[in-house]
RNA sequence: GGGAGUUUAGCUCAGCUGGUUCAGAGCAUCUGCCUUACACGCAGAGGGUCGGGGGUUCGAAUCCCUCAACUCCCACCA
């Protein structure tokens, strides 16, 4: 037999993946005779291509799902993608810009047509790449967060939460890009690391009916006309007597009160703060506490409007006005001091313009009450986080949970189902017709063509938080009880069977964005947690500990790696050094180690396969000893393996089987029973050796699915349905002969002796 | 600024409720070997006052205090 000394993964991987698919091994249906084991994939962005983070994440999921499948469970891994509103919209806008098309020149429908085309073209790439990794997903169940049924589920949930009183419309400071004329999410606002130089101006305000002044410090004199109060710290002796007095705003002489608020820092500037609720987040909140007026002096494009009350500034850019204000203040003798200082200024990621805090109407979910059960369930270990340290982080977030702003000023996403009459009255309903009906009861002569739908879409997470329920169609008409606002679980066979899912494998940075919210939605709609365990992976970094990123160019292309080393090698490479919650410092050496391991197994196979068996030979005594020893060793290691799996210690689990195969099976056992060159082996030993091999291949299969399947079929003739992927998971036997495993014991020494003799001979 | 976490061999990490598998593993390193399964390999070897300091204890990598360094999350200062 002439098999290459090098294992070549490319020749076997595609073949087996196809075989598994053809045989339907990935597909799962509710089966009362079997225990379910379900994982829903964290849906990657449709914009995405596979990166190293996905590799780690999905390898872990595949390992878990394959093991469950072998354990005879009904294993179901649901794949899919996320529409990722911000990221995708940005991508499509960029693509259009390259073609010379401006988003602003398109209608909403035209833009969405482009977006869908884009999605159809690129949205499936990442799933195809997952197949190369060996991911054994139930592809028939692939979902997308903007599939028609998913879309209507999201809308239905919005309406339901609105009717339950959890959703409200309120004012909120958002980041506004004056150049692009759009709102930005916090993620799109960048700060320079060392801050930026700016000037702090000290301006005096006259105290009404007095000759005295009060001096305040500001970076933004152009907002002075929006001032509605001066705030001081209540414990500040310097200003106590001023509290309650009136002060005049320079130039416009508006009377504003001096108020006391703990927010004010006595040590900064003069200890007096001018309060401009329309142009600063904190000021806005002070305004709320003290019932202050909001005077918004800015237009959307960053110019001043007539609310500033100074006609010469109307229509002028805020930075021009700043300069002029400084000049005017100086001339009036009201500018007391100008000092340079370093401050952090937010700039738009897209246009680099200074971001303006802007007050606008947004939609919110009230979080306090709806999240109570989600808080408790993690607290009480009903849901377990791995590693457990994240429980602290989770608790901290839950205890300080803020209302969730779910509206986004974008087009790609689920459009908010709120409909407005011309006078601003609105109704929330699943369809425009229903909304019209509701509105008509208040405005009898309202025509349907006069109502308009809210232009905004929902935050991406406001769709993906339904993922573990929606992928099983939980919100469709058949199962959703809109009177109770609950899902009738008993009617939905799949939810009844697969939900709660077993484990969620995801990155810690989305613990709040996604994981916490899925838990909330689970209790709200299913009265039940969405999953029992949460495995939080680390971040994949490069050798120097830097995050992998496109701009650094330090991320290898996973598909190249698979081509060069094989999927099995890449999978084990990812797992060799990544305990839960720890960052993985990626080094190609790890993948090489995986490849070397595959090669080692391949050569063990070549050795065993090459032996000639003579059934007339009697079994040598020392082979008997070797067999008893290995049997004990295997049982011991399998027990260890199981323990590691139970604790989600994937690296340790892999290391157990790695050492068992390399050290114990290859280096010790095979060397001991190996017949002399050219001589046959007795049948008893041979059969036992093959059966050990099978056991080891099975235990390794979740980690290295391809080579194990290949050798499973190579070591013995088998039917095409007799595949290792559906083979039986090896259980640790009870026969652990500890005395034989202990160094120093008589038996162990005997084995060592035999081995040493063999080595010496070689 | 608020919170959490980490610090054990050159690197990545195990070490559960303090005491004979407590100083471990893999990789890397060094020394021999191209021995008909495998040099993507074999056989062997070296390497750490468990971040610093203090304390509790008969006894601490393991518990307490303190200092230092690093990481992450959240909020952001007129």
């Amino acid at each position: 037999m002439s098999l290459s000394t090098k294992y070549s993964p490319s020749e076997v991987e595609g073949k087996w993946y196809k075989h598994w698919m053809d045989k339907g091994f990935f597909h799962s249906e509710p089966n009362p005779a079997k225990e379910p084991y379900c994982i829903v994939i964290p849906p990657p962005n449709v914009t995405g291509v596979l990166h190293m983070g996905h590799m780690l994440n999905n390898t872990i999921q595949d390992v878990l799902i394959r093991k469950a499948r072998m354990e005879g469970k009904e294993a179901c891994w649901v794949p899919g993608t996320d529409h990722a509103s911000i990221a995708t919209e940005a991508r499509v806008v960029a693509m259009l810009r390259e073609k010379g098309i401006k988003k602003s020149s398109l209608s909403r429908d035209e833009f969405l047509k482009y977006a869908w085309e884009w999605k159809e073209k690129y949205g499936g790439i990442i799933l195809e790449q997952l197949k190369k990794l060996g991911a054994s997903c139930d592809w028939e169940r692939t979902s997308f967060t903007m599939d028609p049924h998913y879309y209507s589920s999201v809308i239905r949930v919005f309406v339901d939460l609105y009717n339950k009183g959890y959703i409200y419309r309120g004012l909120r400071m958002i980041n506004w890009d004056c150049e692009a004329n759009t709102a930005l999410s916090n993620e799109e606002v960048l700060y320079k690391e060392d801050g930026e130089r700016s000037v702090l101006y000290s301006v005096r305000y006259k105290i009404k009916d007095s000759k005295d002044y009060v001096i305040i410090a500001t970076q933004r004199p152009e907002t002075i006309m929006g001032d509605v109060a001066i705030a001081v710290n209540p414990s500040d002796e310097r200003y106590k007597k001023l509290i309650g007095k009136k002060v005049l705003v320079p130039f416009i002489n508006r009377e504003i009160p001096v108020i006391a608020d703990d927010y004010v820092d006595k040590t900064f500037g003069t200890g007096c703060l001018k309060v401009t609720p329309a142009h600063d987040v904190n000021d806005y909140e002070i305004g709320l506490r003290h019932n202050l007026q909001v005077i918004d002096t800015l237009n959307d494009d960053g110019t001043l409007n007539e609310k500033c009350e100074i006609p010469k500034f109307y229509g002028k850019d805020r930075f021009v006005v700043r300069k002029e204000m400084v000049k005017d203040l100086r001339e009036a003798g009201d500018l007391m001091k100008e000092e340079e200082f370093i401050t952090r200024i937010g700039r738009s990621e897209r246009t680099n313009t200074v971001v303006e805090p802007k007050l606008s109407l947004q939609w919110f979910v009230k979080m306090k009450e709806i999240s109570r059960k989600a808080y408790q369930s993690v607290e009480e270990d009903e849901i377990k986080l791995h590693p457990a340290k994240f429980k602290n982080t989770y608790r901290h977030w839950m205890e300080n949970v803020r209302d969730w702003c779910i509206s986004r000023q974008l087009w790609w996403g689920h459009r908010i189902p709120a409909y407005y009459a011309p006078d601003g009255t609105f109704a929330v309903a699943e369809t425009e017709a229903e909304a019209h009906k509701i509105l008509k009861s208040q405005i009898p002569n309202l025509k349907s063509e006069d109502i308009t739908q809210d232009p905004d879409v929902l935050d991406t997470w406001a769709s993906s938080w339904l993922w573990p329920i929606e992928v099983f169609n939980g919100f469709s008409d058949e199962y959703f009880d809109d009177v109770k606002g609950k899902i009738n679980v008993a009617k939905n066979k799949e939810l009844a069977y697969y939900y709660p899912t077993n484990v969620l494998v995801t990155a810690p940075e989305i613990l709040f964005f996604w994981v916490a919210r899925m838990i909330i939605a689970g209790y709200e709609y299913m009265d039940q947690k969405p999953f029992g365990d949460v495995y939080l992976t680390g971040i994949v970094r490069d050798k120097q500990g830097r995050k992998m990123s496109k701009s650094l160019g330090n991320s290898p292309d996973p598909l190249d790696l698979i081509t060069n080393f094989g999927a099995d090698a890449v999978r084990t490479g990812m797992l060799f050094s990544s305990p839960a919650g720890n960052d993985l410092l990626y080094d190609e050496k790890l993948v090489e180690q995986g490849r070397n391991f595959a090669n080692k197994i391949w050569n063990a196979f070549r050795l065993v396969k090459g032996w000639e068996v003579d059934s007339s030979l009697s079994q040598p005594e020392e082979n008997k000893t070797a067999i008893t020893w290995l049997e004990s060793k295997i049982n011991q290691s399998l027990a260890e393996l199981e323990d590691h799996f139970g604790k989600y210690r994937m690296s340790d689990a892999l290391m157990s089987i790695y050492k068992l195969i390399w050290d114990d099976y290859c280096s010790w056992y095979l060397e001991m029973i190996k017949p002399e060159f050219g001589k046959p082996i007795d049948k008893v030993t041979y059969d036992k050796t093959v059966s050990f091999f099978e056991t080891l291949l099975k235990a390794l299969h979740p980690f290295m699915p391809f080579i194990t399947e290949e050798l499973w079929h190579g070591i013995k003739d088998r039917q095409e349905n007799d595949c290792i992927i559906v083979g039986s998971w090896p259980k640790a036997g009870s026969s652990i002969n500890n005395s034989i495993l202990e160094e120093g014991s008589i038996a162990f020494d005997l084995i060592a002796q035999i081995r040493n003799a063999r080595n010496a001979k070689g």
Side-chain angles (χ1 to χ4, degrees):
Chain A
M1 145 163 297
S2 64
L3 289 169
S4 161
T5 59
K6 299 280 183 281
Y7 168 64
S8 56
S10 55
E11 286 169 30
V12 312
E13 293 183 351
K15 172 181 81 181
W16 288 117
Y17 201 84
K18 183 170 182 305
H19 186 77
W20 294 330
M21 290 277 279
D22 291 348
K23 292 289 164 197
F25 290 145
F26 298 167
H27 183 59
S28 165
E29 293 285 343
N31 176 355
K34 289 164 101 180
E35 189 187 333
Y37 187 92
C38 183
I39 298 179
V40 291
I41 204 171
N45 292 353
V46 274
T47 53
V49 288
L50 208 60
H51 62 244
M52 297 307 279
H54 293 123
M55 303 288 282
L56 174 62
N57 207 262
N58 289 294
T59 296
I60 293 168
Q61 293 174 68
D62 196 44
V63 169
L64 294 171
I65 212 82
R66 281 178 187 271
K67 175 174 182 270
R69 192 179 289 122
M70 293 176 77
E71 284 171 327
K73 294 176 186 165
E74 188 58 43
C76 182
W77 185 11
V78 182
T81 47
D82 190 304
H83 69 287
S85 62
I86 294 174
T88 306
E89 181 148 333
R91 210 47 98 71
V92 173
V93 167
M95 177 272 287
L96 288 172
R97 197 186 303 131
E98 267 171 42
K99 286 189 183 172
I101 305 172
K102 276 174 122 178
K103 183 188 165 193
S104 53
S105 71
L106 296 175
S107 71
R108 186 180 190 116
D109 285 343
E110 285 166 341
F111 177 81
L112 287 177
K113 207 172 143 241
Y114 280 116
W116 276 106
E117 273 171 20
W118 194 91
K119 186 263 165 186
E120 292 311 322
K121 195 161 166 197
Y122 300 108
I125 292 179
I126 196 158
L127 299 182
E128 288 309 309
Q129 292 177 319
L130 282 179
K131 294 178 182 172
K132 296 274 191 304
L133 226 207
S136 59
C137 300
D138 187 350
W139 299 106
E140 291 170 45
R141 295 177 177 277
T142 306
S143 282
F144 173 54
T145 54
M146 288 232 296
D147 282 339
H149 65 89
Y150 206 118
Y151 194 105
S152 39
S153 297
V154 172
I155 299 306
R156 173 162 285 175
V157 165
F158 185 98
V159 174
D160 177 64
L161 290 177
Y162 178 79
N163 291 336
K164 284 173 178 164
Y166 283 125
I167 285 185
Y168 66 95
R169 200 168 177 234
L171 278 173
R172 154 111 164 198
M173 277 285 170
I174 54 161
N175 307 297
W176 186 259
D177 180 332
C178 301
E179 200 167 303
N181 239 298
T182 177
L184 301 174
S185 69
N186 288 340
E187 290 74 26
E188 295 169 297
V189 178
L190 304 177
Y191 297 88
K192 286 214 178 103
E193 212 158 291
D194 306 321
E196 294 189 46
R197 288 163 155 253
S198 175
V199 181
L200 190 62
Y201 301 96
S202 296
V203 181
R204 63 176 191 178
Y205 288 40
K206 196 171 190 330
I207 298 168
K208 196 195 169 195
D209 301 330
S210 152
K211 291 211 167 81
D212 290 337
Y213 292 87
V214 55
I215 298 171
I216 59 97
T218 180
Q219 284 185 74
R220 309 195 54 193
E222 74 277 13
T223 64
I224 282 176
M225 289 75 77
D227 288 354
V228 294
I230 297 294
V232 297
N233 192 293
S235 66
D236 194 332
E237 293 300 331
R238 292 173 296 176
Y239 301 116
K240 262 194 175 157
K241 56 182 187 300
L242 284 182
I243 296 167
K245 293 240 164 84
K246 301 275 189 200
V247 161
L248 301 175
V249 177
F251 303 128
I252 58 174
N253 293 319
R254 177 165 54 234
E255 284 182 25
I256 57 173
V258 178
I259 56 170
D261 195 287
D262 284 327
Y263 170 75
V264 181
D265 178 352
K266 284 189 277 187
T267 64
F268 191 93
T270 60
C272 292
L273 172 70
K274 74 185 200 62
V275 183
T276 324
H279 303 296
D280 184 279
V281 187
N282 295 302
D283 290 15
Y284 177 64
E285 280 174 12
I286 295 175
L288 285 183
R289 285 198 284 273
H290 297 272
N291 248 319
L292 300 172
Q293 203 189 342
V294 176
I295 301 175
D296 188 345
T297 59
L298 279 184
N299 293 315
D300 284 354
D301 62 0
T303 60
L304 272 80
N305 61 30
E306 65 288 350
K307 296 241 183 66
C308 81
E309 296 180 31
I310 301 178
K312 66 169 179 172
F313 292 150
Y314 296 176
K316 276 189 187 162
D317 185 79
R318 60 206 194 282
F319 293 113
V320 175
V321 174
R322 180 181 297 180
K323 276 193 192 139
E324 294 189 15
M325 273 298 284
V326 169
K327 193 167 148 260
D328 293 351
L329 286 165
R330 198 182 288 134
E331 282 167 6
D334 288 333
L335 188 59
M336 311 312 287
K337 213 187 335 176
E338 298 172 55
E339 48 193 326
E340 276 209 351
F341 85 126
I342 303 293
T343 185
R344 275 161 50 96
I345 295 175
R347 288 179 178 273
S348 166
E349 186 182 48
R350 302 188 209 171
T351 61
N352 198 38
T353 52
V354 175
V355 168
E356 285 296 328
K358 186 179 163 61
L359 219 43
S360 70
L361 275 171
Q362 302 288 331
W363 292 93
F364 293 88
V365 178
K366 276 188 214 163
M367 293 301 273
K368 194 97 196 143
E369 191 191 329
I370 200 174
S371 63
R372 197 173 299 138
K373 277 186 201 154
Y375 169 74
Q376 286 168 359
S377 77
V378 171
E379 229 11 59
E380 289 157 10
D381 290 326
E382 171 79 9
I383 296 174
K384 288 196 201 68
L385 306 185
H386 305 272
K389 67 178 178 186
F390 286 109
K391 199 171 157 180
N392 293 328
T393 320
Y394 183 89
R395 179 189 311 121
H396 186 251
W397 190 76
M398 280 304 202
E399 284 174 353
N400 299 287
V401 69
R402 312 166 115 219
D403 285 355
W404 174 18
C405 179
I406 51 170
S407 43
R408 294 292 125 101
Q409 290 67 50
L410 300 164
W411 283 346
W412 176 248
H414 310 80
R415 190 165 175 183
I416 291 174
Y419 299 85
Y420 302 87
D423 70 348
T425 316
F426 67 84
V428 169
E430 286 185 39
T431 62
E432 188 170 332
E434 272 173 65
H436 183 231
K437 226 193 302 178
I438 299 171
L439 286 170
K440 237 183 143 177
S441 65
Q442 299 167 49
I443 311 168
N445 55 358
L446 183 73
K447 287 191 230 133
S448 64
E449 59 266 33
D450 288 338
I451 64 176
T452 50
Q453 187 176 356
D454 197 299
D456 291 353
V457 299
L458 289 166
D459 179 14
T460 296
W461 306 108
S463 58
S464 49
W465 75 323
L466 308 176
W467 187 249
I469 305 171
E470 218 299 325
V471 296
F472 298 114
N473 253 313
F475 295 97
S476 71
D477 294 337
E478 286 165 83
Y479 313 119
F480 190 73
D481 179 338
D482 44 353
V483 178
K484 288 188 192 147
K486 295 274 177 202
I487 288 162
N488 193 333
V489 185
K491 278 194 194 166
N492 183 316
K493 262 203 288 192
E494 300 214 310
L495 272 178
Y497 187 71
Y498 293 116
Y499 194 101
T501 66
N502 293 71
V503 56
L504 179 79
V505 180
T506 192
E509 60 256 42
I510 55 174
L511 185 59
F512 310 130
F513 285 134
W514 191 47
V515 181
R517 286 169 184 160
M518 278 192 286
I519 300 176
I520 293 170
Y523 283 107
E524 180 61 27
Y525 290 105
M526 299 286 293
D527 283 326
Q528 173 69 281
K529 62 185 174 185
F531 28 70
D533 291 293
V534 180
Y535 179 106
L536 295 152
T537 63
I539 297 167
V540 183
R541 297 172 179 280
D542 68 8
K543 260 196 281 189
Q544 287 119 46
R546 298 174 307 179
K547 228 175 181 170
M548 294 219 161
S549 74
K550 263 201 202 117
S551 53
L552 278 172
N554 59 351
S555 176
D557 180 344
L559 292 182
D560 285 351
L561 281 179
I562 290 177
T563 313
N564 294 338
F565 295 96
D568 289 335
V570 177
R571 291 166 65 110
T572 47
M574 303 304 296
L575 250 31
F576 270 130
S577 175
S578 55
N582 274 25
D583 288 357
L584 165 72
L585 297 195
Y586 173 78
D587 184 343
E588 194 161 288
K589 284 244 167 73
L590 293 167
V591 178
E592 276 176 30
Q593 193 184 342
R595 178 204 55 190
N596 295 353
F597 185 39
N599 201 239
K600 183 72 186 175
I601 302 163
W602 172 250
N603 279 296
F605 164 74
R606 285 178 58 229
L607 175 69
V608 174
K609 196 71 187 164
W611 285 336
E612 186 193 330
V613 183
D614 185 342
S615 42
S616 69
L617 277 179
S618 64
Q619 188 185 28
E621 229 16 70
E622 54 197 54
N623 284 8
K624 281 186 194 163
T625 315
I627 286 166
T628 343
W629 174 80
L630 187 65
E631 222 151 39
S632 283
K633 196 72 206 179
I634 287 177
N635 286 335
Q636 189 191 42
S637 294
L638 288 180
E640 214 175 275
L641 186 69
E642 211 59 51
D643 185 53
H644 288 141
F645 267 117
K647 293 172 180 155
Y648 290 98
R649 306 177 66 139
M650 310 302 282
S651 288
D652 292 337
L654 172 60
M655 196 44 70
S656 297
I657 183 72
Y658 177 84
K659 285 198 277 194
L660 179 63
I661 291 177
W662 198 310
D663 299 344
D664 301 321
Y665 187 70
C666 293
S667 295
W668 284 68
Y669 175 81
L670 287 182
E671 290 300 334
M672 281 172 65
I673 57 128
K674 184 161 78 175
E676 278 178 59
F677 182 68
K679 294 201 177 154
I681 188 165
D682 71 274
K683 189 160 190 323
V684 180
T685 304
Y686 181 79
D687 287 347
K688 206 64 199 166
T689 303
V690 167
S691 127
F692 284 142
F693 207 153
E694 288 175 329
T695 302
L696 298 177
L697 287 176
K698 286 198 282 192
L700 182 64
H701 177 261
F703 298 98
M704 304 182 93
F706 294 111
I707 189 173
T708 50
E709 189 70 83
E710 174 73 8
L711 298 189
W712 179 254
H713 293 269
I715 198 82
K716 233 185 216 173
D717 285 334
R718 294 179 201 273
Q719 301 290 317
E720 58 174 8
N721 278 322
D722 178 8
C723 287
I724 199 167
I725 187 178
V726 289
S728 59
W729 180 249
K731 286 258 173 355
S734 53
S735 77
I736 300 179
N737 185 340
N738 280 314
S739 72
I740 208 171
L741 294 175
E742 269 168 45
E743 212 164 329
S745 72
I746 298 169
F748 185 93
D749 287 350
L750 182 73
I751 289 163
Q753 246 174 48
I754 300 168
R755 211 176 84 91
N756 288 341
R758 288 288 178 109
N759 282 334
K761 230 193 276 175

